[in-house]
């Protein structure tokens, strides 16, 4: 391993664009082009490699990569022995978690997992699904699905275990959910030996800090305003802040300056209330990172 280099796995596929965009908000620009599996990054201390999320945990565990981003679902699927550094709640569609669900055709008689005893389940999450049904003492045959899993019931399988964010694809294929097996989100994971190295541990922790800061800033804005002393309590009461607002006395003792963070969705309602309560010089500004 080259001294002073961190080998970092970036998930190839559905999470790739969202991950690269997250790194850019965190301060790193990653350039993935053509068919290369080794994108460039504007940090001489990092070497990137594109790896399928399904395989990431294995490569991190074995030391081919020092760290990587992958779903908690694939860490569990592979039963990988890795350091879990942080959870990062982002995905290809939303900022929420994804769910692995047990789904059956809308018109099937199956209502619960026990009804599938002796049946065929198609999924990409084979080992986890086997363990799930074994834990419930339900005998099923779990088959690996190479894709297009939603179209397999009822002809090629009796049910599927599939990942979903919104459920729209399942509904479009006339499937209904009868059980949620797990919720999952992206995680930054590290090889245990690499994480024991002081330099790599600091580098990985710094990446974790900045990625979380970029996520925390999403959907939030900063707000600055001035307020007279007699109006401070009334104005402060209108601020649904992330934390208590920072209050600084203005020069000359002519009131106070407030600085706070708000959910962007409520700003249009809050600013008129602040103005009515006596606030002046109200300035809204965008945020790129919030370190909590």
């Amino acid at each position: 391993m080259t001294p002073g280099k961190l080998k970092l796995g970036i998930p190839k596929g559905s999470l790739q664009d969202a991950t690269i965009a997250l790194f850019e908000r965190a301060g790193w620009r990653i350039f993935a082009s053509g068919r290369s599996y080794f994108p460039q990054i504007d940090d001489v201390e990092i070497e990137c490699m594109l790896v399928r999320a399904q395989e990431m945990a294995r490569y991190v565990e074995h030391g081919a990569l020092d760290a990587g981003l992958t779903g908690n679902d694939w860490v569990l699927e592979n039963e990988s022995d890795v350091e879990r550094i942080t959870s990062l709640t982002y995905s290809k569609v939303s900022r929420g978690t994804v769910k692995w669900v047990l789904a059956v055709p809308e018109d099937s008689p199956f209502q619960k997992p026990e009804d599938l005893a002796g049946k065929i389940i198609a999924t990409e999450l084979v080992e986890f699904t086997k363990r799930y049904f074994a834990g419930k003492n339900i005998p099923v045959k779990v088959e690996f699905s190479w894709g297009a899993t939603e179209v397999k019931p009822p002809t090629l399988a009796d049910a599927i275990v599939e990942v979903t964010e919104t459920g729209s694809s399942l509904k479009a294929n006339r499937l209904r959910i009868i059980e949620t097996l797990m919720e999952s989100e992206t995680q930054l994971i590290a090889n245990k030996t690499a994480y024991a190295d002081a330099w790599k541990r600091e580098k990985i922790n710094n990446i974790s800090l900045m990625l979380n800061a970029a996520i925390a800033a999403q959907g939030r804005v900063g707000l600055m305003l001035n307020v007279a002393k007699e109006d401070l309590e009334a104005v402060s009461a209108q601020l649904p802040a992330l934390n208590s607002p920072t209050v600084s006395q203005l020069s000359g003792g002519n009131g106070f300056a407030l600085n706070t963070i708000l959910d962007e969705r409520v700003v249009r309602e809050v600013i008129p209330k602040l103005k009515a309560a006596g606030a002046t010089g109200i300035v809204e500004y965008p945020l790129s990172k919030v370190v909590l």
Side-chain angles (χ1 to χ4, degrees), residues 4 191-204:
N191 172 269
K192 289 193 169 183
T193 300
Y195 199 63
D197 177 87
W199 182 86
K200 289 181 180 179
R201 181 170 61 252
E202 181 179 11
K203 188 70 176 179
I204 292 168

Side-chain angles (χ1 to χ4, degrees), residues 190-230:
N191 172 269
K192 289 193 169 183
T193 300
Y195 199 63
D197 177 87
W199 182 86
K200 289 181 180 179
R201 181 170 61 252
E202 181 179 11
K203 188 70 176 179
I204 292 168
N205 287 341
N206 287 343
I207 292 171
S208 172
L209 174 70
M210 299 307 291
L211 292 178
N212 277 296
I215 290 173
Q218 285 184 272
R220 291 177 173 143
V221 296
L223 207 64
M224 295 187 298
L225 54 110
N226 295 335
V227 58
K229 182 177 180 180
E230 61 269 20

Side-chain angles (χ1 to χ4, degrees), residues 27 75 87 112 197 220 223 243:
V75 178
S87 293
K112 55 186 185 299
D197 177 87
R220 291 177 173 143
L223 207 64
N243 294 303

